[in-house]
């Protein structure tokens, strides 16, 4: 038996190279003959082309009593055209290697296509047919309505959905479309008919108020001619873009407990409204909110998850609601997570302590540096695909932002100091102006929450 001690040879540790300068891709803006605005972005090597179309069909335009009709129309765009039924249309998409999706939100309907560059013409033809002449068969509309009614039942069993529903209903006036479920309620969806869907399509789906974003490798493609031959066949009477009503909300401090008897967990959603992306404070608010609850190392997680063990994770975020160039838009500023039932009051008490400490002492330079390194450093990976670039450009369109907005945000993030980020996040989450929604067992959590003194407590059972 040998006494020799084995040795290991270690290879030199790799050293990082020089970072490559990066900026969010800049699109070229134009239009085609039917009035459709076009943003194109050539991305060499991206052989899967992404096309996002924003259609100016606001949820606020849905007829009274038919909330959810925009969502049904969006889903129906995949159900065939004037020349193909649903099965044939799906088969043609598959043969083109394409996917076509659509959804409705407050700013309008978004239709998204992904297709290989080699089959872009066929993909655009199918997309154009779906927008130009959707089949809207009565039996398929009835099926989509039935599916949505089934979804609503499941949403009632989802604590996160119930919390969001209660928060929006409390923040916004009943007459504001923001106060009601984006995809409608059982009482409104059941009234949706094929005729009503067709009327909504005729009134609001038109190229003159729509924008197409095309991102991918466009080498050798005459995109203008291709768009004229495909999306250019989509015609309708011209119209002027719709305007958003200003966003107003009642965000005085209060607590709403959505009773869920026997629940072993409590879903938390704490929110208010604040500046949206048109406000100069947005980059600083984004940075500060990330420091508060954007990652596993943020303040909320560090205390509530790592130190106290109340939760698997808590996050803070800012989500634009309606956005207008005149500054009347707003964003939802929120903290979301879940805790075990017994820890509900202690977790809220600690959350308020975190917010008050943040206001008194501010963020640290280390927190700021880590957040900037992530938010700016991850951008090249985040926008590695054509779909991610197209989605962000389409977001800018629906929020009435300039084409170079995202690139400017990254420049500002890199230059922000700690004090500015602190000021923004403290303004975003004032402890006395937060609406707290708790979905859990009211018989266990309501009284301890009242003792915290963070606002009047109301228990609802629906």
């Amino acid at each position: 038996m040998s006494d020799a001690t084995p040795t290991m040879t270690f290879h030199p540790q790799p050293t990082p190279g020089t970072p490559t300068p990066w900026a969010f891709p800049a699109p070229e803006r134009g239009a085609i003959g039917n009035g459709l605005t076009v943003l194109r972005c050539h991305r060499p090597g991206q052989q899967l082309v992404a096309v996002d179309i924003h259609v100016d069909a606001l949820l606020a335009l849905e007829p009274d009593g038919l909330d959810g009709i925009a969502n049904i129309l969006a889903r129906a765009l995949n159900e065939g055209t004037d020349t193909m039924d649903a099965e044939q249309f799906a088969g043609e998409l598959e043969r083109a290697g394409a996917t076509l999706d659509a959804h409705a939100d407050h700013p309008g309907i978004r239709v998204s296509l992904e297709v290989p560059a080699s089959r872009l013409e066929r993909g655009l033809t199918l997309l154009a047919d779906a927008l130009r002449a959707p089949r809207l068969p009565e039996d398929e509309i009835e099926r989509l309505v039935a599916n949505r009614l089934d979804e609503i039942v499941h949403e009632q069993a989802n604590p996160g959905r119930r919390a969001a529903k209660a928060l929006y209903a409390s923040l916004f006036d009943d007459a504001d479309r923001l106060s009601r479920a984006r995809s409608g309620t059982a009482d409104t969806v059941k009234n949706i008919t094929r005729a009503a869907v067709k009327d909504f399509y005729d009134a609001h789906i038109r190229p003159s108020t729509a924008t197409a974003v095309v991102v991918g490798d466009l080498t050798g493609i005459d995109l203008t001619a291709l768009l004229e031959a495909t999306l250019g066949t989509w015609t309708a009477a011209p119209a002027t873009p719709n305007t958003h009503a200003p966003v107003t909300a009642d965000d005085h401090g209060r607590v709403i407990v959505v009773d869920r008897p026997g629940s072993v967990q409590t879903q938390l959603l704490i929110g208010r409204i604040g500046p949206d992306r048109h406000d100069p404070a947005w980059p600083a608010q984004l940075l500060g909110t990330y420091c508060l609850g954007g990652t596993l190392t943020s303040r909320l997680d560090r205390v509530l998850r790592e130190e106290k063990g109340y939760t698997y994770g808590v996050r803070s975020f800012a989500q634009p609601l309606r956005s207008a160039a005149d500054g009347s838009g707003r964003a939802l500023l929120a903290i979301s997570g879940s805790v075990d039932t017994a820890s509900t009051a202690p977790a809220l008490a600690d959350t308020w302590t975190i917010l008050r400490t943040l206001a008194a002492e501010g963020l640290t330079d280390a927190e700021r540096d880590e957040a900037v390194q992530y938010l700016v450093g991850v951008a090249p990976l985040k926008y590695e695909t054509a779909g991610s670039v197209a989605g962000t450009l389409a977001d800018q369109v629906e929020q009435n932002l300039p084409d170079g907005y995202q690139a400017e945000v990254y420049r500002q993030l890199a230059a922000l100091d700690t004090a500015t980020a602190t000021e923004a996040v403290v303004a975003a989450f004032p402890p006395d102006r937060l609406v707290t929604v708790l979905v859990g067992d009211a018989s266990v959590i309501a009284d301890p929450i009242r003792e915290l003194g963070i606002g009047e407590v109301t228990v609802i059972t629906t």
Side-chain angles (χ1 to χ4, degrees):
M1 188 171 178
S2 173
D3 292 331
T5 302
T7 59
M8 297 182 65
T9 300
F10 293 93
H11 296 283
Q13 182 177 354
T15 57
T18 303
T20 302
W22 182 89
F24 185 82
E28 297 178 17
R29 179 175 284 263
I32 59 175
N34 61 355
L36 179 69
T37 300
V38 177
L39 273 66
R40 69 186 74 194
C41 189
H42 175 50
R43 302 288 289 161
Q46 294 289 345
Q47 294 300 320
L48 189 64
V49 177
V51 183
D52 270 32
I53 296 188
H54 167 66
V55 183
D56 190 32
L58 315 182
L59 293 193
L61 299 174
E62 292 179 318
D64 290 342
L66 292 179
D67 286 0
I69 196 168
N71 174 66
I72 296 298
L73 172 58
R75 296 183 181 190
L77 294 177
N78 252 328
E79 303 301 330
T81 69
D82 57 346
T83 60
M84 289 178 281
D85 61 25
E87 185 175 352
Q88 291 169 327
F89 187 73
E92 287 300 307
L93 282 171
E94 185 174 352
R95 278 185 281 276
T99 59
L100 181 66
D101 297 298
H103 71 273
D105 206 337
H106 290 287
I109 292 176
R110 180 83 67 84
V111 186
S112 301
L113 170 77
E114 287 194 335
V115 62
S118 59
R119 298 172 183 171
L120 180 57
E121 181 176 6
R122 185 54 180 156
L124 286 173
T125 298
L126 293 169
L127 172 60
D129 288 347
L131 290 166
R132 175 187 58 81
R135 195 177 189 91
L136 306 179
E138 187 163 358
D139 59 336
E140 292 293 348
I141 298 297
E142 291 173 352
R143 180 182 63 80
L144 292 172
V145 167
N147 287 349
R148 176 61 195 141
L149 292 173
D150 287 342
E151 290 173 0
I152 292 170
V153 175
H154 290 289
E155 289 170 4
Q156 280 296 101
N158 184 305
R161 291 292 187 93
R162 292 182 71 179
K165 178 182 175 182
L167 179 62
Y168 278 74
S170 180
L171 277 174
F172 303 107
D173 185 83
D174 290 346
D176 192 329
R177 185 63 179 85
L178 283 170
S179 70
R180 307 190 298 276
R182 284 175 292 181
S183 298
T185 65
D187 288 338
T188 62
V189 172
K190 69 182 181 182
N191 297 324
I192 296 174
T193 63
R194 193 269 177 189
V197 174
K198 181 62 164 61
D199 288 345
F200 190 80
Y201 167 84
D202 289 339
H204 304 296
I205 309 302
R206 57 190 71 239
S208 61
T209 54
T211 299
V213 178
V214 183
V215 180
D217 192 329
L218 306 177
T219 303
I221 297 174
D222 185 344
L223 187 62
T224 299
L226 184 55
L227 292 174
E228 289 284 7
T230 54
L231 289 172
T233 63
W234 171 29
T235 59
T240 55
N242 294 295
T243 57
H244 295 284
V247 179
T248 59
D250 175 9
D251 56 2
H252 75 273
R254 58 194 183 277
V255 181
I256 300 161
V257 179
V258 180
D259 191 21
R260 198 170 187 234
S263 177
V264 298
Q265 285 191 328
T266 300
Q267 182 73 35
L268 315 176
L269 184 58
I270 305 166
R272 64 184 295 267
I273 64 166
D276 77 343
R277 290 176 175 169
H278 287 276
D279 194 293
W282 177 266
Q285 181 176 267
L286 177 65
L287 179 58
T289 300
Y290 185 86
C291 292
L292 174 64
T295 179
L296 291 173
T297 59
S298 65
R299 289 203 177 191
L300 287 170
D301 248 28
R302 191 165 63 242
V303 175
L304 302 182
R305 180 178 186 269
E306 299 299 328
E307 295 178 12
K308 301 298 182 72
Y310 295 146
T311 177
Y312 289 116
V314 177
R315 293 291 176 268
S316 60
F317 60 91
Q319 175 63 51
L321 297 168
R322 289 194 301 253
S323 192
D326 63 4
S328 62
R330 291 292 183 271
L332 175 69
L333 308 174
I335 297 169
S336 176
S338 60
V339 299
D340 66 280
T341 298
S343 299
T344 303
L348 284 178
D350 283 337
T351 298
W352 259 247
T353 298
I354 291 168
L355 294 175
R356 290 177 178 129
T357 301
L358 180 61
E361 301 177 2
L363 296 168
T364 66
D365 290 340
E367 287 176 311
R368 177 265 175 201
D369 292 346
E370 182 178 338
V372 169
Q373 287 171 11
Y374 176 80
L375 291 172
V376 177
V378 79
L381 294 176
K382 181 179 179 181
Y383 295 110
E384 199 170 27
T385 67
S388 59
V389 174
T392 294
L393 289 172
D395 288 344
Q396 292 180 176
V397 168
E398 69 179 26
Q399 292 169 30
N400 298 287
L401 294 165
D403 296 341
Y405 176 81
Q406 193 62 53
E408 179 59 28
V409 166
Y410 283 120
R411 284 193 288 271
Q412 292 186 36
L413 282 172
L416 280 168
D417 59 35
T418 305
T420 304
T422 297
E423 181 181 359
V425 70
V426 169
F429 294 97
D432 60 340
R433 295 201 61 82
L434 296 173
V435 180
T436 301
V437 175
L438 308 171
V439 180
D441 192 332
S443 67
V444 177
I445 66 177
D447 287 340
I449 296 302
R450 290 189 178 95
E451 294 174 5
L452 296 178
I454 61 175
E456 179 184 0
V457 177
T458 302
V459 177
I460 60 177
T461 57
T462 55

